[in-house]
Amino acid sequence: MIKLVLCFMFCYLTTAEPIVYKDCPGDNLGHATAVTLSPCPQQPCTFKHGDKVTVTITFNAANDTSILHSKVFGIVADIPVPFPLPNQDGCRDSGINCPITKGQTYTYTSSFDVLPTYPQITLVVMWKLEGATGNFVCFTFPMSISDSGAVVG
């Protein structure tokens, strides 16, 4: 049993990779210090229908805030298209307990399923963590969604 648990842990740890990302242009109050995505063994990340994607964002709080909202957009033809997350409240079930205190380091974690209804596409994703006074974190990264390869029928 211990070998099985160790195998699962090894597989998880080897697929959660730090990614290269860019800060959003504009008036960000804070910046991510590290971002990991799983499963993403190489960049650009390619997620398959049926995958459960976990994102972990580490950041230093630039201001105090009692709220934190997570927002994700797919940039399609230079237009940010909102992507609904199952939990947009960054203070709930994310590893963060609000209020957030200026100068402290926090690690936010969220997961979402890559549904079969999502189109196969390559795009840039913009991820924001917003506090009461604006963006705490905003970054972009390239990714694609592909078919799971499962045979239907």
Side-chain angles (χ1 to χ4, degrees):
M1 180 66 163
I2 292 174
K3 288 181 182 178
L4 182 61
V5 170
L6 290 174
C7 179
F8 282 125
M9 287 176 56
F10 177 77
C11 290
Y12 172 77
L13 292 174
T14 59
T15 60
E17 293 292 326
I19 64 163
V20 177
Y21 58 91
K22 295 180 182 177
D23 286 330
C24 296
D27 61 347
N28 296 336
L29 297 174
H31 305 279
T33 56
V35 177
T36 61
L37 289 171
S38 173
C40 182
Q42 67 181 18
Q43 281 191 268
C45 298
T46 299
F47 303 119
K48 294 181 170 43
H49 291 132
D51 281 350
K52 182 173 198 79
V53 177
T54 300
V55 61
T56 302
I57 305 165
T58 302
F59 65 96
N60 294 320
N63 287 307
D64 294 337
T65 188
S66 60
I67 62 169
L68 190 68
H69 296 288
S70 184
K71 296 182 179 181
V72 179
F73 302 86
I75 309 298
V76 180
D78 291 329
I79 299 170
V81 178
F83 174 81
L85 289 173
N87 175 23
Q88 294 183 354
D89 183 350
C91 298
R92 185 176 52 87
D93 300 327
S94 67
I96 294 178
N97 293 316
C98 293
I100 291 175
T101 304
K102 179 180 179 176
Q104 298 294 313
T105 299
Y106 295 89
T107 301
Y108 164 89
T109 302
S110 182
S111 297
F112 62 91
D113 295 317
V114 181
L115 300 176
T117 55
Y118 296 166
Q120 294 184 51
I121 190 169
T122 298
L123 73 163
V124 171
V125 172
M126 179 172 55
W127 199 298
K128 293 182 176 189
L129 295 177
E130 296 179 341
T133 57
N135 291 341
F136 260 57
V137 175
C138 183
F139 61 91
T140 62
F141 63 94
M143 65 150 276
S144 62
I145 296 174
S146 69
D147 190 27
S148 65
V151 178
V152 179

